[in-house]
Structure formats: structure tokens, C-alpha cells
Amino acid sequence: MQSSLKAKAPPSPSGLVQSMIERRQSMTATGYAVVSVQNHRLPAQQRLLAIRASKLDAYRSLTEQVYGQYLDATTTVADMVVQSDSFRARVEGVIYGASLVSITPVGDDTYETTLSLESAVVDDIRNLYLAQLTSARTR
């Protein structure tokens, strides 16, 4: 008996990203910042800086969700012993249309900021990103 098995072609990167998009449309992200580490001598200014830092941290988290994260890892092995192991993470992208959900003090020394993106905005951002990837490949 002879069987005919055909190997499936791996999904295209844009198809894989598209399936991930379909599973998760609306997004929220939360950022945190500590008040006492802010670089200012006035407590009121430190609070304002912490609020701003927590908002930027939330934007970073949204960017990770929309675009993913670039990771660069390096491991050095000598005589079959790991000498060093390091990695760097980088996030890059443009987020627009995020709504501020809340800015909340957490404990005595931390602020938490939550942002959200509507599904239509997530779709727009991702479609623009996928179009950029596709045009970069065809060059």
C-alpha cells in the first residue's frame, strides 16, 4: 500500500502574525514608576515625574503587545562552562489613539497608569506594520 503524504508549507510570517492578530484585538497595558527615585528635590515634582514615567512604561507595554520585542542574546562558553550569558531587549514602534484608563497611587511610593487601545486602532497599527514588512521584503 502506497501512501502519498504531502509536506505542508510552513505558514508565511504575515499569515502567522495575522492569526495572532485575530486572537487578540483589544489591548490594555499597565505601567509603574516609583516616586522616590525620580530626579527632583521637590516631592510634588517627583510625583508628577513618577506619573509621567508610569505612563511611558504603559506605552512601552502596549508597543510590546502590538509589535513584539527584539531580543539579542549572547552566551559565551569556554571549556564547556558558561562564562557569560547576557541579553538585551528592545521595543520599537508607533502607538497612537491610546486612551488613558487610570492613574492610581499604589502604596506610598508608586504610581500605576493603565492605557487601552480600541480594536480598530490595533487593527490599523498592525496593518500598517505588516504592510511595511511586506514592502521591505520585496525590495
mmCIF file with all atom_site columns, all heavy atoms in Angstrom, residues 11-25 123 126-127 130:
data_model
loop_
_atom_site.group_PDB
_atom_site.id
_atom_site.type_symbol
_atom_site.label_atom_id
_atom_site.label_alt_id
_atom_site.label_comp_id
_atom_site.label_asym_id
_atom_site.label_entity_id
_atom_site.label_seq_id
_atom_site.pdbx_PDB_ins_code
_atom_site.Cartn_x
_atom_site.Cartn_y
_atom_site.Cartn_z
_atom_site.occupancy
_atom_site.B_iso_or_equiv
_atom_site.pdbx_formal_charge
_atom_site.auth_seq_id
_atom_site.auth_comp_id
_atom_site.auth_asym_id
_atom_site.auth_atom_id
_atom_site.pdbx_PDB_model_num
ATOM 1   N N   . PRO A 1 11  ? 3.677  28.170 7.512  1.00 0.00 ? 11  PRO A N   1
ATOM 2   C CA  . PRO A 1 11  ? 2.886  29.387 7.321  1.00 0.00 ? 11  PRO A CA  1
ATOM 3   C C   . PRO A 1 11  ? 3.800  30.577 7.061  1.00 0.00 ? 11  PRO A C   1
ATOM 4   O O   . PRO A 1 11  ? 4.900  30.657 7.596  1.00 0.00 ? 11  PRO A O   1
ATOM 5   C CB  . PRO A 1 11  ? 2.129  29.547 8.646  1.00 0.00 ? 11  PRO A CB  1
ATOM 6   C CG  . PRO A 1 11  ? 2.883  28.729 9.633  1.00 0.00 ? 11  PRO A CG  1
ATOM 7   C CD  . PRO A 1 11  ? 3.580  27.651 8.870  1.00 0.00 ? 11  PRO A CD  1
ATOM 8   N N   . SER A 1 12  ? 3.328  31.483 6.228  1.00 0.00 ? 12  SER A N   1
ATOM 9   C CA  . SER A 1 12  ? 4.121  32.682 5.958  1.00 0.00 ? 12  SER A CA  1
ATOM 10  C C   . SER A 1 12  ? 4.160  33.539 7.207  1.00 0.00 ? 12  SER A C   1
ATOM 11  O O   . SER A 1 12  ? 3.241  33.502 8.020  1.00 0.00 ? 12  SER A O   1
ATOM 12  C CB  . SER A 1 12  ? 3.510  33.473 4.809  1.00 0.00 ? 12  SER A CB  1
ATOM 13  O OG  . SER A 1 12  ? 2.285  34.049 5.218  1.00 0.00 ? 12  SER A OG  1
ATOM 14  N N   . PRO A 1 13  ? 5.226  34.325 7.398  1.00 0.00 ? 13  PRO A N   1
ATOM 15  C CA  . PRO A 1 13  ? 5.295  35.168 8.586  1.00 0.00 ? 13  PRO A CA  1
ATOM 16  C C   . PRO A 1 13  ? 4.094  36.100 8.714  1.00 0.00 ? 13  PRO A C   1
ATOM 17  O O   . PRO A 1 13  ? 3.565  36.285 9.795  1.00 0.00 ? 13  PRO A O   1
ATOM 18  C CB  . PRO A 1 13  ? 6.595  35.957 8.399  1.00 0.00 ? 13  PRO A CB  1
ATOM 19  C CG  . PRO A 1 13  ? 7.419  35.121 7.497  1.00 0.00 ? 13  PRO A CG  1
ATOM 20  C CD  . PRO A 1 13  ? 6.445  34.407 6.599  1.00 0.00 ? 13  PRO A CD  1
ATOM 21  N N   . SER A 1 14  ? 3.633  36.655 7.607  1.00 0.00 ? 14  SER A N   1
ATOM 22  C CA  . SER A 1 14  ? 2.492  37.562 7.700  1.00 0.00 ? 14  SER A CA  1
ATOM 23  C C   . SER A 1 14  ? 1.228  36.794 8.061  1.00 0.00 ? 14  SER A C   1
ATOM 24  O O   . SER A 1 14  ? 0.364  37.295 8.761  1.00 0.00 ? 14  SER A O   1
ATOM 25  C CB  . SER A 1 14  ? 2.311  38.363 6.408  1.00 0.00 ? 14  SER A CB  1
ATOM 26  O OG  . SER A 1 14  ? 2.029  37.488 5.342  1.00 0.00 ? 14  SER A OG  1
ATOM 27  N N   . GLY A 1 15  ? 1.105  35.533 7.591  1.00 0.00 ? 15  GLY A N   1
ATOM 28  C CA  . GLY A 1 15  ? -0.039 34.708 7.957  1.00 0.00 ? 15  GLY A CA  1
ATOM 29  C C   . GLY A 1 15  ? -0.029 34.359 9.424  1.00 0.00 ? 15  GLY A C   1
ATOM 30  O O   . GLY A 1 15  ? -1.062 34.331 10.091 1.00 0.00 ? 15  GLY A O   1
ATOM 31  N N   . LEU A 1 16  ? 1.146  34.074 9.957  1.00 0.00 ? 16  LEU A N   1
ATOM 32  C CA  . LEU A 1 16  ? 1.282  33.763 11.370 1.00 0.00 ? 16  LEU A CA  1
ATOM 33  C C   . LEU A 1 16  ? 0.926  34.972 12.224 1.00 0.00 ? 16  LEU A C   1
ATOM 34  O O   . LEU A 1 16  ? 0.179  34.858 13.199 1.00 0.00 ? 16  LEU A O   1
ATOM 35  C CB  . LEU A 1 16  ? 2.712  33.302 11.665 1.00 0.00 ? 16  LEU A CB  1
ATOM 36  C CG  . LEU A 1 16  ? 3.007  32.869 13.095 1.00 0.00 ? 16  LEU A CG  1
ATOM 37  C CD1 . LEU A 1 16  ? 2.172  31.657 13.462 1.00 0.00 ? 16  LEU A CD1 1
ATOM 38  C CD2 . LEU A 1 16  ? 4.479  32.557 13.244 1.00 0.00 ? 16  LEU A CD2 1
ATOM 39  N N   . VAL A 1 17  ? 1.432  36.120 11.846 1.00 0.00 ? 17  VAL A N   1
ATOM 40  C CA  . VAL A 1 17  ? 1.122  37.345 12.589 1.00 0.00 ? 17  VAL A CA  1
ATOM 41  C C   . VAL A 1 17  ? -0.365 37.639 12.477 1.00 0.00 ? 17  VAL A C   1
ATOM 42  O O   . VAL A 1 17  ? -1.005 38.024 13.449 1.00 0.00 ? 17  VAL A O   1
ATOM 43  C CB  . VAL A 1 17  ? 1.971  38.535 12.089 1.00 0.00 ? 17  VAL A CB  1
ATOM 44  C CG1 . VAL A 1 17  ? 1.510  39.835 12.735 1.00 0.00 ? 17  VAL A CG1 1
ATOM 45  C CG2 . VAL A 1 17  ? 3.442  38.299 12.390 1.00 0.00 ? 17  VAL A CG2 1
ATOM 46  N N   . GLN A 1 18  ? -0.940 37.423 11.290 1.00 0.00 ? 18  GLN A N   1
ATOM 47  C CA  . GLN A 1 18  ? -2.370 37.674 11.105 1.00 0.00 ? 18  GLN A CA  1
ATOM 48  C C   . GLN A 1 18  ? -3.197 36.795 12.035 1.00 0.00 ? 18  GLN A C   1
ATOM 49  O O   . GLN A 1 18  ? -4.156 37.256 12.631 1.00 0.00 ? 18  GLN A O   1
ATOM 50  C CB  . GLN A 1 18  ? -2.768 37.441 9.640  1.00 0.00 ? 18  GLN A CB  1
ATOM 51  C CG  . GLN A 1 18  ? -4.177 37.891 9.319  1.00 0.00 ? 18  GLN A CG  1
ATOM 52  C CD  . GLN A 1 18  ? -4.377 39.390 9.505  1.00 0.00 ? 18  GLN A CD  1
ATOM 53  O OE1 . GLN A 1 18  ? -3.492 40.189 9.227  1.00 0.00 ? 18  GLN A OE1 1
ATOM 54  N NE2 . GLN A 1 18  ? -5.524 39.764 10.006 1.00 0.00 ? 18  GLN A NE2 1
ATOM 55  N N   . SER A 1 19  ? -2.830 35.505 12.185 1.00 0.00 ? 19  SER A N   1
ATOM 56  C CA  . SER A 1 19  ? -3.596 34.638 13.074 1.00 0.00 ? 19  SER A CA  1
ATOM 57  C C   . SER A 1 19  ? -3.472 35.094 14.518 1.00 0.00 ? 19  SER A C   1
ATOM 58  O O   . SER A 1 19  ? -4.406 34.974 15.299 1.00 0.00 ? 19  SER A O   1
ATOM 59  C CB  . SER A 1 19  ? -3.150 33.185 12.927 1.00 0.00 ? 19  SER A CB  1
ATOM 60  O OG  . SER A 1 19  ? -1.860 33.000 13.452 1.00 0.00 ? 19  SER A OG  1
ATOM 61  N N   . MET A 1 20  ? -2.315 35.625 14.900 1.00 0.00 ? 20  MET A N   1
ATOM 62  C CA  . MET A 1 20  ? -2.149 36.166 16.249 1.00 0.00 ? 20  MET A CA  1
ATOM 63  C C   . MET A 1 20  ? -3.013 37.401 16.434 1.00 0.00 ? 20  MET A C   1
ATOM 64  O O   . MET A 1 20  ? -3.576 37.622 17.501 1.00 0.00 ? 20  MET A O   1
ATOM 65  C CB  . MET A 1 20  ? -0.676 36.492 16.514 1.00 0.00 ? 20  MET A CB  1
ATOM 66  C CG  . MET A 1 20  ? 0.181  35.257 16.621 1.00 0.00 ? 20  MET A CG  1
ATOM 67  S SD  . MET A 1 20  ? 1.961  35.542 16.599 1.00 0.00 ? 20  MET A SD  1
ATOM 68  C CE  . MET A 1 20  ? 2.199  36.964 17.564 1.00 0.00 ? 20  MET A CE  1
ATOM 69  N N   . ILE A 1 21  ? -3.131 38.203 15.401 1.00 0.00 ? 21  ILE A N   1
ATOM 70  C CA  . ILE A 1 21  ? -3.946 39.413 15.458 1.00 0.00 ? 21  ILE A CA  1
ATOM 71  C C   . ILE A 1 21  ? -5.404 39.050 15.700 1.00 0.00 ? 21  ILE A C   1
ATOM 72  O O   . ILE A 1 21  ? -6.088 39.671 16.502 1.00 0.00 ? 21  ILE A O   1
ATOM 73  C CB  . ILE A 1 21  ? -3.814 40.226 14.158 1.00 0.00 ? 21  ILE A CB  1
ATOM 74  C CG1 . ILE A 1 21  ? -2.424 40.802 14.024 1.00 0.00 ? 21  ILE A CG1 1
ATOM 75  C CG2 . ILE A 1 21  ? -4.857 41.340 14.094 1.00 0.00 ? 21  ILE A CG2 1
ATOM 76  C CD1 . ILE A 1 21  ? -2.138 41.397 12.663 1.00 0.00 ? 21  ILE A CD1 1
ATOM 77  N N   . GLU A 1 22  ? -5.878 38.024 15.001 1.00 0.00 ? 22  GLU A N   1
ATOM 78  C CA  . GLU A 1 22  ? -7.283 37.650 15.110 1.00 0.00 ? 22  GLU A CA  1
ATOM 79  C C   . GLU A 1 22  ? -7.633 37.168 16.510 1.00 0.00 ? 22  GLU A C   1
ATOM 80  O O   . GLU A 1 22  ? -8.753 37.320 16.960 1.00 0.00 ? 22  GLU A O   1
ATOM 81  C CB  . GLU A 1 22  ? -7.609 36.585 14.069 1.00 0.00 ? 22  GLU A CB  1
ATOM 82  C CG  . GLU A 1 22  ? -7.563 37.137 12.662 1.00 0.00 ? 22  GLU A CG  1
ATOM 83  C CD  . GLU A 1 22  ? -7.517 36.057 11.603 1.00 0.00 ? 22  GLU A CD  1
ATOM 84  O OE1 . GLU A 1 22  ? -7.548 34.858 11.960 1.00 0.00 ? 22  GLU A OE1 1
ATOM 85  O OE2 . GLU A 1 22  ? -7.438 36.417 10.422 1.00 0.00 ? 22  GLU A OE2 1
ATOM 86  N N   . ARG A 1 23  ? -6.687 36.572 17.208 1.00 0.00 ? 23  ARG A N   1
ATOM 87  C CA  . ARG A 1 23  ? -6.962 36.068 18.546 1.00 0.00 ? 23  ARG A CA  1
ATOM 88  C C   . ARG A 1 23  ? -7.074 37.154 19.593 1.00 0.00 ? 23  ARG A C   1
ATOM 89  O O   . ARG A 1 23  ? -7.720 36.967 20.602 1.00 0.00 ? 23  ARG A O   1
ATOM 90  C CB  . ARG A 1 23  ? -5.868 35.087 18.971 1.00 0.00 ? 23  ARG A CB  1
ATOM 91  C CG  . ARG A 1 23  ? -6.107 33.713 18.422 1.00 0.00 ? 23  ARG A CG  1
ATOM 92  C CD  . ARG A 1 23  ? -5.142 32.746 19.012 1.00 0.00 ? 23  ARG A CD  1
ATOM 93  N NE  . ARG A 1 23  ? -4.083 32.572 18.031 1.00 0.00 ? 23  ARG A NE  1
ATOM 94  C CZ  . ARG A 1 23  ? -2.816 32.405 18.307 1.00 0.00 ? 23  ARG A CZ  1
ATOM 95  N NH1 . ARG A 1 23  ? -2.410 32.374 19.534 1.00 0.00 ? 23  ARG A NH1 1
ATOM 96  N NH2 . ARG A 1 23  ? -1.933 32.259 17.362 1.00 0.00 ? 23  ARG A NH2 1
ATOM 97  N N   . ARG A 1 24  ? -6.401 38.268 19.394 1.00 0.00 ? 24  ARG A N   1
ATOM 98  C CA  . ARG A 1 24  ? -6.363 39.281 20.443 1.00 0.00 ? 24  ARG A CA  1
ATOM 99  C C   . ARG A 1 24  ? -6.500 40.666 19.832 1.00 0.00 ? 24  ARG A C   1
ATOM 100 O O   . ARG A 1 24  ? -5.557 41.201 19.278 1.00 0.00 ? 24  ARG A O   1
ATOM 101 C CB  . ARG A 1 24  ? -5.053 39.172 21.198 1.00 0.00 ? 24  ARG A CB  1
ATOM 102 C CG  . ARG A 1 24  ? -5.043 40.037 22.401 1.00 0.00 ? 24  ARG A CG  1
ATOM 103 C CD  . ARG A 1 24  ? -3.951 39.646 23.314 1.00 0.00 ? 24  ARG A CD  1
ATOM 104 N NE  . ARG A 1 24  ? -4.058 40.469 24.486 1.00 0.00 ? 24  ARG A NE  1
ATOM 105 C CZ  . ARG A 1 24  ? -3.161 40.559 25.403 1.00 0.00 ? 24  ARG A CZ  1
ATOM 106 N NH1 . ARG A 1 24  ? -2.080 39.851 25.306 1.00 0.00 ? 24  ARG A NH1 1
ATOM 107 N NH2 . ARG A 1 24  ? -3.329 41.340 26.438 1.00 0.00 ? 24  ARG A NH2 1
ATOM 108 N N   . GLN A 1 25  ? -7.672 41.261 19.956 1.00 0.00 ? 25  GLN A N   1
ATOM 109 C CA  . GLN A 1 25  ? -7.933 42.525 19.293 1.00 0.00 ? 25  GLN A CA  1
ATOM 110 C C   . GLN A 1 25  ? -7.762 43.732 20.213 1.00 0.00 ? 25  GLN A C   1
ATOM 111 O O   . GLN A 1 25  ? -7.056 44.651 19.891 1.00 0.00 ? 25  GLN A O   1
ATOM 112 C CB  . GLN A 1 25  ? -9.342 42.519 18.703 1.00 0.00 ? 25  GLN A CB  1
ATOM 113 C CG  . GLN A 1 25  ? -9.507 41.513 17.592 1.00 0.00 ? 25  GLN A CG  1
ATOM 114 C CD  . GLN A 1 25  ? -8.623 41.814 16.410 1.00 0.00 ? 25  GLN A CD  1
ATOM 115 O OE1 . GLN A 1 25  ? -8.454 42.958 16.037 1.00 0.00 ? 25  GLN A OE1 1
ATOM 116 N NE2 . GLN A 1 25  ? -8.034 40.794 15.833 1.00 0.00 ? 25  GLN A NE2 1
ATOM 117 N N   . ASP A 1 123 ? -5.984 47.189 14.891 1.00 0.00 ? 123 ASP A N   1
ATOM 118 C CA  . ASP A 1 123 ? -6.008 46.690 13.513 1.00 0.00 ? 123 ASP A CA  1
ATOM 119 C C   . ASP A 1 123 ? -5.262 47.628 12.568 1.00 0.00 ? 123 ASP A C   1
ATOM 120 O O   . ASP A 1 123 ? -4.464 47.186 11.743 1.00 0.00 ? 123 ASP A O   1
ATOM 121 C CB  . ASP A 1 123 ? -7.444 46.520 13.011 1.00 0.00 ? 123 ASP A CB  1
ATOM 122 C CG  . ASP A 1 123 ? -8.165 45.353 13.668 1.00 0.00 ? 123 ASP A CG  1
ATOM 123 O OD1 . ASP A 1 123 ? -7.489 44.479 14.238 1.00 0.00 ? 123 ASP A OD1 1
ATOM 124 O OD2 . ASP A 1 123 ? -9.411 45.332 13.601 1.00 0.00 ? 123 ASP A OD2 1
ATOM 125 N N   . ARG A 1 126 ? -1.431 47.479 13.234 1.00 0.00 ? 126 ARG A N   1
ATOM 126 C CA  . ARG A 1 126 ? -0.854 46.211 12.783 1.00 0.00 ? 126 ARG A CA  1
ATOM 127 C C   . ARG A 1 126 ? -0.869 46.091 11.257 1.00 0.00 ? 126 ARG A C   1
ATOM 128 O O   . ARG A 1 126 ? 0.074  45.568 10.670 1.00 0.00 ? 126 ARG A O   1
ATOM 129 C CB  . ARG A 1 126 ? -1.577 45.045 13.427 1.00 0.00 ? 126 ARG A CB  1
ATOM 130 C CG  . ARG A 1 126 ? -1.172 44.881 14.870 1.00 0.00 ? 126 ARG A CG  1
ATOM 131 C CD  . ARG A 1 126 ? -1.813 43.699 15.482 1.00 0.00 ? 126 ARG A CD  1
ATOM 132 N NE  . ARG A 1 126 ? -1.141 43.341 16.721 1.00 0.00 ? 126 ARG A NE  1
ATOM 133 C CZ  . ARG A 1 126 ? -1.687 42.591 17.645 1.00 0.00 ? 126 ARG A CZ  1
ATOM 134 N NH1 . ARG A 1 126 ? -2.902 42.121 17.476 1.00 0.00 ? 126 ARG A NH1 1
ATOM 135 N NH2 . ARG A 1 126 ? -1.025 42.305 18.734 1.00 0.00 ? 126 ARG A NH2 1
ATOM 136 N N   . ASN A 1 127 ? -1.927 46.551 10.626 1.00 0.00 ? 127 ASN A N   1
ATOM 137 C CA  . ASN A 1 127 ? -1.976 46.501 9.160  1.00 0.00 ? 127 ASN A CA  1
ATOM 138 C C   . ASN A 1 127 ? -0.888 47.372 8.548  1.00 0.00 ? 127 ASN A C   1
ATOM 139 O O   . ASN A 1 127 ? -0.244 46.988 7.559  1.00 0.00 ? 127 ASN A O   1
ATOM 140 C CB  . ASN A 1 127 ? -3.354 46.899 8.643  1.00 0.00 ? 127 ASN A CB  1
ATOM 141 C CG  . ASN A 1 127 ? -4.386 45.820 8.895  1.00 0.00 ? 127 ASN A CG  1
ATOM 142 O OD1 . ASN A 1 127 ? -4.051 44.642 8.959  1.00 0.00 ? 127 ASN A OD1 1
ATOM 143 N ND2 . ASN A 1 127 ? -5.632 46.213 9.053  1.00 0.00 ? 127 ASN A ND2 1
ATOM 144 N N   . LEU A 1 130 ? 2.377  45.444 9.076  1.00 0.00 ? 130 LEU A N   1
ATOM 145 C CA  . LEU A 1 130 ? 2.505  44.314 8.156  1.00 0.00 ? 130 LEU A CA  1
ATOM 146 C C   . LEU A 1 130 ? 2.782  44.782 6.732  1.00 0.00 ? 130 LEU A C   1
ATOM 147 O O   . LEU A 1 130 ? 3.545  44.146 5.999  1.00 0.00 ? 130 LEU A O   1
ATOM 148 C CB  . LEU A 1 130 ? 1.251  43.450 8.205  1.00 0.00 ? 130 LEU A CB  1
ATOM 149 C CG  . LEU A 1 130 ? 1.055  42.664 9.495  1.00 0.00 ? 130 LEU A CG  1
ATOM 150 C CD1 . LEU A 1 130 ? -0.299 41.974 9.501  1.00 0.00 ? 130 LEU A CD1 1
ATOM 151 C CD2 . LEU A 1 130 ? 2.171  41.668 9.713  1.00 0.00 ? 130 LEU A CD2 1
#
